[in-house]
Amino acid sequence: MEKKQKQTIIIWLKRILGFTAIGLWVFVIFAISKSPAPFMEQAPYCMGSTMLIFGLLTGAFKGLEYWEKNT
């Protein structure tokens, strides 16, 4: 595969991952907010899901950046 083509693939993977993570995060936060529980009980789930989703996104981005650096 050509270097330019690999970089294009990596850029599009980053975009897709970013939009997917944000969409998943909005969905999860919306689902949690629909719970009848008070906010103080929902807050840990909001924080935990946010940290998990964006932590995984960060790991994926680091992997893609490593791949990009080695091309």
Side-chain angles (χ1 to χ4, degrees):
M1 227 187 237
E2 191 177 308
K3 183 177 181 177
K4 179 92 171 151
Q5 187 178 11
K6 280 185 183 179
Q7 288 179 338
T8 303
I9 290 171
I10 292 169
I11 288 170
W12 276 103
L13 282 173
K14 285 180 179 180
R15 290 176 183 168
I16 291 168
L17 281 171
F19 284 121
T20 303
I22 291 170
L24 178 64
W25 177 73
V26 168
F27 174 77
V28 169
I29 296 299
F30 182 74
I32 292 170
S33 70
K34 287 294 184 182
S35 170
F39 178 74
M40 290 306 291
E41 291 179 20
Q42 293 176 357
Y45 295 105
C46 290
M47 292 186 324
S49 63
T50 300
M51 289 173 20
L52 178 65
I53 291 168
F54 289 106
L56 291 172
L57 177 65
T58 301
F61 265 59
K62 291 293 182 185
L64 288 171
E65 286 174 354
Y66 178 78
W67 184 30
E68 186 176 29
K69 185 176 75 173
N70 289 332
T71 57

